[in-house]
Every structure is written in structure tokens, then in C-alpha cells.
Amino acid sequence: ATIAGLPETGRSVGLGQVDVTVPGAGDVPLVGYDGDASWIGYALIHGRWLSGPGEVVATTNVFRTTGAHLGDTIQIGAAGRSIPVVLVGEVFDLGKESPDNLVLRGSWADVLRLVPTASIDRWEMQPRSGVSAHDYRSAVMDATGRSLPVYTVSDSSSDAGFLLFL
């Protein structure tokens, strides 16, 4: 509510994660987004971004490891519960949540269906047009009493290392 209430906020989405069991891949982090996260910058290789519960996007390694294809329904499980999800997109994602680059990105509702006690523990935010990342970071820190770490991410178009990687 604090982030959404800031006049400098253009977009924001809460997120959290749980480990889920995926057939053929073992334990895989499921990152759940509490709202529209299509704007956060994951480039699609194939398919589309998820549009709601029951849909996930996955890293290339999830497809390679499981043998699943775009459009397949897979069962994921955690905490003694299991739900079906449809693989709707393959994303270019370095998967920092997993050393094996195995990550699913889906809805917060699906995370809660599996682990009702899960909690959102971070937010992706974008300042509204015309507000610098530095000024926005300061506004968020002030609004939260400087009690939370807030990081900015630079535009990757000016990062020579990232460009070299591509």
C-alpha cells in the first residue's frame, strides 16, 4: 500500500517464492507475482507471459530437463499439495533463484494454493515516467522509514558486460 500510494510509482508488483517439485526436474523455485508482472523485463523466447493462475513461464533449462513443451500441463507440488499448471512461455532468465537455472514464474494465487502460509517478501517497482530511479529510490526509502533495503537496477542497454553477453 505504501509503494502503490507514492505519486512517483508507475508500476509495482509484490512477489515471493516457494520450492515446488516438478516431475523430471526435482525441486524448482516457483516465483509468484501478486498482480501483472508482464512489464518487469523478462524477454520471451517462445510463447507469452502468464495471464493468471494456472499458467507459468519457465526458463529454457526447465524445458530441457523435463522434456516438456510449450502448452503442456505439468503437475507441481509443495507441502503435500499438487496443482496443474500450463507452460505458456519460455523466458530468457538467468534464474538467480536456482544454481541449475531452473525457475518457474507464475501467479501468487498458485503459490498460496500450494503453501497457504507463504508470504510476499519483495517488490519490483518502476517509477512513473519522468522520475529518476535515484529519486524514486529515495522516495520509497523515506516512505518506509528507511527500514527496508531498496536497490535500483540500471538500464542494461548501457552495460557493456551485458551487451557482450548477448
Side-chain angles (χ1 to χ4, degrees):
T2 299
I3 293 166
L6 288 172
E8 297 89 351
T9 299
R11 301 182 199 187
S12 68
V13 65
L15 59 143
Q17 77 182 52
V18 296
D19 285 337
V20 297
T21 302
V22 175
D27 288 340
V28 174
L30 168 62
V31 179
Y33 296 90
D34 189 22
D36 176 29
S38 61
W39 56 272
I40 61 176
Y42 289 101
L44 284 163
I45 297 170
H46 299 290
R48 62 175 174 80
W49 188 258
L50 64 118
S51 63
E55 297 183 346
V56 296
V57 297
T59 59
T60 301
N61 269 7
V62 169
F63 288 96
R64 284 185 185 147
T65 303
T66 65
H69 298 92
L70 203 62
D72 285 353
T73 298
I74 60 171
Q75 286 291 129
I76 59 174
R81 294 175 174 87
S82 177
I83 62 170
V85 293
V86 178
L87 293 162
V88 297
E90 178 182 356
V91 290
F92 179 74
D93 181 355
L94 299 178
K96 63 184 177 278
E97 295 85 359
S98 164
D100 298 327
N101 196 22
L102 298 168
V103 179
L104 298 173
R105 297 189 183 279
S107 78
W108 182 245
D110 285 340
V111 170
L112 291 178
R113 285 174 56 201
L114 292 167
V115 183
T117 58
S119 61
I120 291 174
D121 61 4
R122 58 196 184 275
W123 290 262
E124 297 264 351
M125 303 166 286
Q126 183 181 58
R128 69 174 167 73
S129 181
V131 176
S132 75
H134 175 74
D135 290 345
Y136 183 63
R137 179 180 181 270
S138 294
V140 171
M141 289 183 70
D142 290 345
T144 59
R146 300 194 171 272
S147 61
L148 302 171
V150 180
Y151 305 97
T152 58
V153 177
S154 301
D155 177 359
S156 63
S157 65
S158 64
D159 183 341
F162 186 78
L163 292 174
L164 179 61
F165 176 76
L166 288 177

